Amino acid sequence: MIEVYIDGASAGDPGPSGAGIFIKGHGRAEQYSIPLGMMSNHEAEFHALIEALKICTKQGYQIVSFRTDSQAVESAMEKRFAKKQQYSVLLEEALRLSDQLDLFFIKWVPSKENKVADELSRMAIQLNKK
């Protein structure tokens, strides 16, 4: 099983945003800092999930367990429903990607257990500014 830690961050609401993705499994670790442009923090959290799912499908990972410190993302994926309409399109894309996997799990974790992804997302914000 592959473990995927994700985080989205935004410097402002909206503001320059980034996704941090930390993937471990099969005896190796992968780290990604992806600039996302201008968006809200919640949008960045959903984009981090989508980007991580794209990476997993491209790498051929079929059994993945995601960890996020965003209760909104975790809840939306579990219920397959976003409370706010503005996140529905992002949720639909995430669900479409997750449905391509054999097994997909998502679990909320406290921020202290998501530090690597958090650092990667903050580095991605800086990449927006270059």
Side-chain angles (χ1 to χ4, degrees), residues 6-58:
I6 59 169
D7 199 16
S10 182
D13 202 17
S17 301
I21 302 164
F22 177 57
I23 301 173
K24 62 182 185 178
H26 300 307
R28 63 187 182 133
E30 302 168 56
Q31 297 184 3
Y32 301 88
S33 287
I34 303 170
L36 298 173
M38 300 290 282
M39 62 184 63
S40 72
N41 188 65
H42 281 310
E43 287 173 302
E45 296 280 6
F46 276 99
H47 279 281
L49 171 64
I50 290 165
E51 292 300 325
L53 284 164
K54 287 178 181 177
I55 291 166
C56 288
T57 55
K58 184 177 179 182

Side-chain angles (χ1 to χ4, degrees), residues 6-8 41-42 45-46 49 67-83 87 91 106-111 114:
I6 59 169
D7 199 16
N41 188 65
H42 281 310
E45 296 280 6
F46 276 99
L49 171 64
R67 307 283 191 272
T68 178
D69 59 16
S70 169
Q71 291 178 327
V73 168
E74 186 268 343
S75 177
M77 287 298 288
E78 286 292 329
K79 295 176 182 174
R80 300 179 73 89
F81 174 78
K83 287 182 183 178
Y87 306 130
L91 175 62
I106 190 163
K107 177 183 177 185
W108 176 83
V109 294
S111 296
N114 204 28

Side-chain angles (χ1 to χ4, degrees), residues 82-97:
K83 287 182 183 178
K84 293 192 176 182
Q85 183 63 35
Q86 69 194 74
Y87 306 130
S88 292
V89 173
L90 297 172
L91 175 62
E92 285 175 25
E93 184 174 359
L95 289 170
R96 181 184 59 77
L97 290 164

